[in-house]
Amino acid sequence: IIGITVSKSENFSQWYQEVVLKAELIEYYTEISGFFIMRPATMYIWNTIRKWFQERIEAMGVEETNFPMFLSQKSLEKEKDHVEGFAPELAWVTKAGDKDLEVPVAVRPTSEAVMYPYYSKWIRSHRDLPFRLNQWNSVVRWEAKQTTPFLRAREFMWQEGHTAHLTEQLAGEEVLQILELYAGIYEQLLAVPVVRGRKTEAEKFAGGYYTTTVEGYIPSNGRGIQGATSHCLGQNFSKMFDITVEDPNEKGKHIHVWQNSWGLSTRVIGVMVMIHGDDKGLVLPPRIAKIQSILIPVGLTAKMTAEDKEKHLKHLDEIFNTLKKAGVRVDVDLRDGYTPAWKFNDWELKGVPLRLEFGPKDAAKEVVSYARRDTGEKGTIPIAELTTKVPEMLETIQQDMYNKADAAYRAHRLKITNWDEVVPALDAKNVVIIPHCLVPACEEKIKELTTGRSDESPDTPEGQKAPSMGMKSLCIPFEQPEGLVKGETKCLNPECDRLAEQWCMFGRSY
Ligand SMILES: O=C(C[C@H]1NCCC[C@H]1O)Cn1cnc2c(c1=O)CCCC2
Ligand SMILES: [Mg+2]
């Protein structure tokens, strides 16, 4: 194999492509552009996320369902006011065999229109509430923009939760409960920090009432990225699809239910790769690593007698079993015909968090030598302490990876109250938190004012002068900084004369 041929800091987009390919996460589906094959290493991560999330939503009373993947023109019609913006992304089936379909059907880009006619049929009484279904599936959005593995694909795997409640308050509680689970997937499994907040009116899901979001940050290019969304749909969809219950307090009166929908996709894997990867390849947080520790025999030279080699490998096997019994996801690399150095590179490329080497010298000292994938730190662990030290070290790696990413994100989300500092901050790979009026037209203006020729856009090779993209609002952070005086502090946009409503995080984004 050859490792990664470009450096992450020099050519981020090519670096990323090579990592996802050479770490065997993805294969490009070259038959049709915009589609990617998810390989076993990816499915292990996705299934770990799925188990973690599934267990917790079940505890909340969410049940699983599975709806058809096609939706009718008629159902789509009901969503027409907001779906027209998305119409170009809809994929249609128009033929079966050589016969045209009477009525073409659309491939689901999301399942509101598929599910809600049945919510209308199933949800009758307030006793049916809260009504909570989730499905794990894939959806198709025929993206016009350039696709990127995990971050933007024409088909992606996700879960989509769709719930109904009696009141706005009850719906609102669940919106935040789910958002906290999304933050947990990022922070506890992927070691990725996220900012929790609400989308502005301009950036929210148009069909909804409000959107809450977890926002990530990619240090390599300073861009923000939407990590997952939990929407309150208000009564918009229950009015479109006539989903009502009888008012428990007033006979004969009907209430349109209050709905939520929430989704998290395989995009999370791309965010994890981008944040933790380095020039040797993938770096996996131990909690989602299929192989947490790889055991590699070293120093087995030709000089060694067959008997000694046999003895050494038997000792190695005991170490393997000790680690297995300690609950470590450990594997041994006994491949013949490859040098230890070759093996080290291979497992570094695949992101294995902890390498353990065991040679005659280690045996003589009753130790195992280790190398951490995240920091490169090397050392030895007494064989007698493996059972406690290796799990501890894996937890330390998990925490250190999170802390490092959290420090980078904190250092690059700048609170700014002087407009002239905004573009320089963006060019220095920051996202900014500014006093803002939250008016959509003002956001548009800010996007224009911050678009322009920057000396180089961070993730294309030197010399390709791409105009830097303008900044978009990412979220209104739940955690608001100090210093905004209602009725006094002005919106930071110099061409806007409104007062600031809240601190709003802006940035160049995916
Ligand atoms: O999908 C949602 C809302 C909601 N869908 C369910 C999961 C959570 C959340 O994403 C918004 N949305 C985004 N993108 C598209 C559509 C769309 O409704 C419909 C047409 C194609 C593109
Ligand atoms: Mg889209």
Side-chain angles (χ1 to χ4, degrees):
I1 45 154
I2 45 166
I4 307 301
T5 64
V6 295
S7 106
K8 184 180 183 183
S9 53
E10 268 154 43
N11 187 342
F12 184 53
S13 50
Q14 179 168 345
W15 169 87
Y16 177 68
Q17 229 175 54
E18 286 195 27
V19 170
V20 296
L21 276 168
K22 293 178 178 173
E24 300 180 353
L25 290 173
I26 281 271
E27 189 67 61
Y28 278 71
Y29 186 61
T30 48
E31 275 75 358
I32 313 167
S33 87
F35 294 85
F36 305 95
I37 299 160
M38 309 274 122
R39 302 183 68 183
T42 291
M43 293 314 290
Y44 183 84
I45 299 170
W46 184 241
N47 287 327
T48 303
I49 290 167
R50 175 169 176 163
K51 280 179 208 149
W52 190 93
F53 186 70
Q54 184 63 28
E55 181 186 327
R56 286 159 177 77
I57 58 173
E58 271 170 19
M60 286 169 58
V62 178
E63 293 182 294
E64 189 163 1
T65 189
N66 190 66
F67 275 77
M69 64 182 293
F70 297 107
L71 53 91
S72 65
Q73 185 91 30
K74 193 164 57 66
S75 289
L76 261 178
E77 273 306 298
K78 288 197 182 118
E79 273 193 83
K80 70 179 175 310
D81 58 338
H82 81 268
V83 92
E84 80 224 3
F86 295 125
E89 296 180 15
L90 284 176
W92 291 92
V93 175
T94 58
K95 291 172 63 133
D98 58 2
K99 285 199 190 57
D100 287 350
L101 289 188
E102 277 294 294
V103 180
V105 294
V107 182
R108 70 184 164 216
T110 177
S111 301
E112 283 80 359
V114 177
M115 300 169 81
Y116 294 171
Y118 297 89
Y119 278 41
S120 172
K121 180 177 178 195
W122 295 334
I123 299 171
R124 293 281 160 196
S125 150
H126 65 87
R127 286 182 198 80
D128 297 323
L129 302 178
F131 187 87
R132 295 172 156 148
L133 296 179
N134 177 61
Q135 56 183 8
W136 294 86
N137 60 24
S138 69
V139 291
V140 171
R141 298 175 181 184
W142 216 265
E143 297 285 349
K145 287 185 190 173
Q146 172 70 31
T147 56
T148 307
F150 296 117
L151 298 193
R152 184 179 294 278
R154 288 181 158 173
E155 178 185 12
F156 55 85
M157 296 162 74
W158 73 349
Q159 54 65 224
E160 47 176 327
H162 297 269
T163 64
H165 307 263
L166 187 61
T167 67
E168 176 177 351
Q169 287 64 34
L170 289 169
E173 278 162 32
E174 186 202 78
V175 165
L176 297 179
Q177 258 182 306
I178 294 294
L179 192 73
E180 235 359 81
L181 291 183
Y182 287 161
I185 288 171
Y186 274 101
E187 297 182 342
Q188 294 170 43
L189 296 185
L190 300 169
V192 169
V194 289
V195 169
R196 300 144 173 82
R198 189 162 56 82
K199 284 288 186 186
T200 61
E201 283 307 293
E203 286 298 320
K204 75 173 191 183
F205 166 32
Y209 176 37
Y210 61 84
T211 291
T212 67
T213 178
V214 285
E215 294 291 324
Y217 165 75
I218 308 293
S220 299
N221 52 24
R223 289 196 199 180
I225 185 162
Q226 177 179 300
T229 48
S230 178
H231 314 271
C232 180
L233 306 178
Q235 298 172 303
N236 300 351
F237 282 84
S238 57
K239 286 174 181 164
M240 284 186 237
F241 288 90
D242 186 27
I243 309 170
T244 62
V245 295
E246 204 166 335
D247 185 335
N249 304 323
E250 207 175 322
K251 201 116 191 59
K253 188 163 173 292
H254 280 82
I255 300 173
H256 283 99
V257 297
W258 290 81
Q259 287 176 273
N260 297 332
S261 82
W262 23 272
L264 174 133
S265 77
T266 41
R267 159 176 282 203
V268 303
I269 297 173
V271 174
M272 180 275 293
V273 171
M274 287 190 155
I275 288 177
H276 297 310
D278 65 15
D279 286 349
K280 293 195 277 191
L282 193 55
V283 182
L284 290 175
R287 285 189 196 152
I288 51 126
K290 183 175 179 183
I291 298 175
Q292 292 175 313
S293 179
I294 186 72
L295 200 44
I296 300 176
V298 297
L300 299 182
T301 59
K303 289 208 302 296
M304 240 172 149
T305 66
E307 190 194 348
D308 284 349
K309 190 173 171 185
E310 180 67 29
K311 206 155 75 48
H312 188 74
L313 291 178
K314 197 169 156 312
H315 201 166
L316 188 75
D317 195 45
E318 282 158 19
I319 291 167
F320 170 77
N321 289 318
T322 302
L323 290 169
K324 217 137 188 67
K325 264 206 257 5
V328 176
R329 294 193 291 275
V330 59
D331 208 347
V332 198
D333 185 346
L334 298 171
R335 286 177 289 179
D336 279 327
Y338 296 98
T339 63
W342 185 93
K343 294 181 181 181
F344 295 177
N345 288 334
D346 190 37
W347 294 109
E348 282 166 353
L349 183 59
K350 289 174 179 138
V352 172
L354 184 64
R355 176 174 78 232
L356 299 175
E357 303 164 27
F358 185 62
K361 292 199 191 78
D362 299 305
K365 285 185 279 182
E366 294 281 297
V367 299
V368 170
S369 296
Y370 73 82
R372 279 179 50 164
R373 177 67 184 87
D374 61 327
T375 59
E377 179 200 293
K378 291 184 167 59
T380 60
I381 305 170
I383 289 175
E385 295 173 29
L386 285 173
T387 307
T388 49
K389 280 285 186 305
V390 170
E392 269 167 26
M393 196 175 284
L394 290 169
E395 266 311 296
T396 302
I397 291 170
Q398 180 83 27
Q399 203 48 55
D400 287 355
M401 286 177 73
Y402 176 80
N403 292 339
K404 184 176 166 213
D406 189 42
Y409 196 173
R410 286 182 187 284
H412 291 87
R413 52 177 185 260
L414 305 181
K415 177 178 158 189
I416 290 190
T417 52
N418 169 352
W419 177 259
D420 297 339
E421 294 168 11
V422 166
V423 172
L426 297 176
D427 287 345
K429 300 185 185 177
N430 296 287
V431 293
V432 298
I433 300 179
I434 63 174
H436 192 251
C437 64
L438 302 182
V439 170
C442 177
E443 276 194 51
E444 268 313 301
K445 194 66 194 162
I446 283 176
K447 200 162 158 192
E448 274 169 43
L449 292 174
T450 54
T451 301
R453 296 199 63 69
S454 83
D455 40 14
E456 94 258 345
S457 65
D459 60 357
T460 53
E462 181 54 41
Q464 273 178 13
K465 302 279 179 220
S468 67
M469 66 170 72
M471 69 181 195
K472 281 169 52 176
S473 75
L474 302 168
C475 76
I476 303 161
F478 291 152
E479 231 177 276
Q480 285 280 299
E482 299 294 314
L484 188 153
V485 182
K486 280 256 182 179
E488 204 178 290
T489 309
K490 280 186 52 21
C491 175
L492 200 69
N493 173 358
E495 299 190 10
C496 171
D497 50 15
R498 297 181 194 86
L499 291 169
E501 281 301 313
Q502 291 191 273
W503 290 95
C504 191
M505 188 159 83
F506 279 78
R508 292 178 182 140
S509 72
Y510 279 90

